[in-house]
Amino acid sequence: MPYFDAASSAPLHPVARQALQAALDEGWADPARLYREGRRARLLLDAAREAAAEAVGCRPDELVFTPSGTRALHAGISGALAGRRRVGDRLVVSAVEHSAVLHSAAAWEAAGHPVTEVGVGRAGAVAAGDFAGALAPDTALACLQSANHETGTEQPVAEVAEACRAAGVPLLVDAAQSLAWGPVPEGWSLLAASAHKWGGPPGVGLLAVRKGVRFAPQGPADERESGRAPGFENVPAVVAAAASLRAVRAEAAAEGARLRALVDRIRTRVPELVPDVEVVGDPVRRLPHIVTFSCLYVDGETLLHELDRSGFSVSSGSSCTSSTLTPSHVLRAMGVLSEGNVRVSLPPGTAEADVDRFLEVLPGVVASVRERLGAPAGGGPVSAGAPAEAEKEPALVVDALGKRCPIPVIELAKVIGEVPVGGTVTVLSDDEAARLDIPAWCGMRGQEYAGERAAERGTAYTVRRLV
């Protein structure tokens, strides 16, 4: 069964498995002890730190291992903010950061501190100038991911790092998605990553803090990992994480080129094979293994279940998943279609034949889900004899209250042909996804989104027919 969700967690790399098994026999003792078993564990831990630091591009004494990438981010943010409290307390983040960063930002703001969120363009990248403009004199820390976990879009880290350097603000980079493919551009002050993203074992993160960065670890003091990651080190897992990072880096150039070609095929073929699809993310400045697209008139959760039944493991940032009824914060920030969202992230070693079979299966799966939901064929009927202009702009109201995506958009598509050109359709909806999906539908179907207003219940979204 093809596994296409490496961006969530990559399969354990063979080198990681071998290193883990060996380290379980040699690295089980306390590395802080001076007897031979402890010394042996300490040698393994030190070697792993040196290997990871080389891959990151920092000194070994600047890097600590944490219980997860999320913990690395939380510790990095809280420590940097505390260390810079005499300078200011403003935190600057991009709107598409991983939820671990945004949760830290929300907690910081709830405690009464200012947080500035920098928006992104439709491709999902911040503009370096916008980020630089957000760096106020009271800024204590800025956070920017190296590449997005949902779309693969790469961020202008080098340009933002230069702006942060000029402003005297440390930059924390979340490199979880990109570290397997190469080092982050120079200029960062703190960096966090997670081993299970590159084929290491879960439960291992890393945090690098450059010398000279003011940093005050939060929480009770601990003598391990420079006081930045308290608790007993999982030496076997750390050894496996470092070994697998070195291994994937050695394979990155060749495997990245191969996966990029497969992803390019998906990006090109999906809109040709499936009508009413929007491929999101930057087509050029992106990681080699991730592609994300959204399908009109499709329930994302059902689509993922049907692909799973067909033998493909993929993920979604859609609003219509069992875990949430709100759109992905990444898709919302980008202003793109959220319904029927599919993220394909190919692990190393993905066979070309599996991608070809995915492209064969996908059109039938999408068509069956659309048929089950009663979606209109071809995007909705348009009356052939409609006048060029309507004298009084006749209006139609669709009550989609209580109905979840993609039903409000399906109902809109069904009735748009019933009003003449210039006429309007107003959709009443209490589903947050409609705020993204109705304007996105207008852009894809050549209609005009005329805006929204508060209704007695929910929101009224008005669409003017142009074609």
Side-chain angles (χ1 to χ4, degrees):
M1 178 172 177
Y3 176 77
F4 286 175
D5 195 21
S8 290
S9 189
L12 193 67
H13 195 282
V15 168
R17 186 182 303 277
Q18 295 167 4
L20 181 62
Q21 291 173 339
L24 285 170
D25 293 331
E26 298 294 328
W28 50 268
D30 186 346
R33 301 307 173 196
L34 298 180
Y35 43 69
R36 62 181 179 276
E37 294 88 355
R39 294 196 305 272
R40 198 158 50 223
R42 168 57 63 181
L43 286 173
L44 290 173
L45 181 60
D46 289 345
R49 196 184 315 278
E50 289 178 6
E54 181 182 2
V56 168
C58 66
R59 293 169 32 168
D61 60 351
E62 293 175 329
L63 185 145
V64 299
F65 294 104
T66 66
S68 68
T70 293
R71 184 71 188 120
L73 287 167
H74 289 173
I77 292 171
S78 64
L81 288 171
R84 299 253 304 163
R85 61 185 178 276
R86 291 184 180 179
V87 177
D89 61 347
R90 181 175 301 277
L91 175 62
V92 176
V93 301
S94 87
V96 293
E97 294 300 304
H98 189 276
S99 58
V101 172
L102 297 185
H103 289 161
S104 285
W108 186 247
E109 190 171 37
H113 306 287
V115 173
T116 299
E117 189 174 276
V118 183
V120 298
R122 195 168 177 83
V126 301
D130 292 345
F131 205 99
L135 301 174
D138 64 342
T139 301
L141 177 67
C143 299
L144 182 66
Q145 60 194 194
S146 54
N148 187 256
H149 48 287
E150 288 192 28
T151 67
T153 294
E154 294 179 333
Q155 300 292 349
V157 173
E159 296 92 327
V160 168
E162 176 58 28
C164 288
R165 186 201 62 77
V169 175
L171 174 65
L172 184 152
V173 174
D174 174 9
Q177 286 297 338
S178 73
L179 199 58
W181 304 104
V184 174
E186 289 295 323
W188 54 267
S189 302
L190 304 96
L191 181 144
S194 185
H196 72 99
K197 302 290 188 181
W198 65 67
V204 179
L206 60 83
L207 171 64
V209 182
R210 296 284 196 193
K211 292 295 181 181
V213 174
R214 294 178 182 175
F215 192 88
Q218 299 302 286
D222 193 283
E223 69 276 8
R224 297 180 185 271
E225 293 299 294
S226 305
R228 295 173 183 173
F232 193 90
E233 296 96 341
N234 186 346
V235 175
V238 164
V239 169
S244 57
L245 180 55
R246 174 177 286 178
V248 297
R249 276 292 187 82
E251 304 160 355
E255 190 62 11
R258 196 181 70 84
L259 293 182
R260 185 175 291 274
L262 294 179
V263 164
D264 284 341
R265 184 180 307 177
I266 296 173
R267 292 183 66 91
T268 300
R269 293 291 291 151
V270 166
E272 296 173 351
L273 297 169
V274 182
D276 296 316
V277 164
E278 181 178 14
V279 181
V280 303
D282 196 299
V284 178
R285 293 192 59 170
R286 59 175 175 79
L287 294 177
H289 66 304
I290 298 178
V291 56
T292 300
F293 56 88
S294 300
C295 308
L296 272 176
Y297 317 129
V298 170
D299 172 1
E301 185 176 15
T302 301
L303 179 57
L304 264 59
H305 284 321
E306 292 302 314
L307 286 170
D308 182 50
R309 288 172 52 139
S310 299
F312 294 94
S313 301
V314 300
S315 63
S316 174
S318 172
S319 58
C320 299
T321 62
S322 56
S323 61
T324 179
L325 287 176
T326 60
S328 147
H329 72 276
V330 173
L331 301 178
R332 183 170 63 244
M334 294 167 65
V336 298
L337 181 68
S338 72
E339 66 186 56
N341 179 262
V342 174
R343 181 186 67 182
V344 174
S345 49
L346 306 178
T350 296
E352 184 177 349
D354 288 338
V355 171
D356 288 340
R357 193 164 72 83
F358 175 76
L359 293 172
E360 292 175 4
V361 167
L362 181 67
V365 170
V366 173
S368 67
V369 175
R370 285 173 171 168
E371 183 179 6
R372 193 180 315 168
L373 292 172
V382 177
S383 303
E389 268 187 54
E391 293 181 1
K392 297 182 180 180
E393 295 192 357
L396 189 65
V397 176
V398 173
D399 186 349
L401 294 168
K403 299 176 181 178
R404 297 301 175 188
C405 67
I407 301 302
V409 178
I410 289 176
E411 296 301 318
L412 167 63
K414 285 180 177 180
V415 303
I416 191 70
E418 297 179 12
V419 298
V421 171
T424 62
V425 175
T426 296
V427 181
L428 301 177
S429 176
D430 51 6
D431 181 9
E432 180 64 24
R435 181 163 282 109
L436 283 180
D437 294 343
I438 290 178
W441 178 89
C442 291
M444 296 172 73
R445 304 304 303 170
Q447 311 297 351
E448 178 189 348
Y449 179 61
E452 66 178 73
R453 57 179 173 80
E456 184 175 347
R457 290 176 53 206
T459 304
Y461 302 93
T462 301
V463 174
R464 179 170 287 103
R465 182 181 169 191
L466 299 181
V467 296

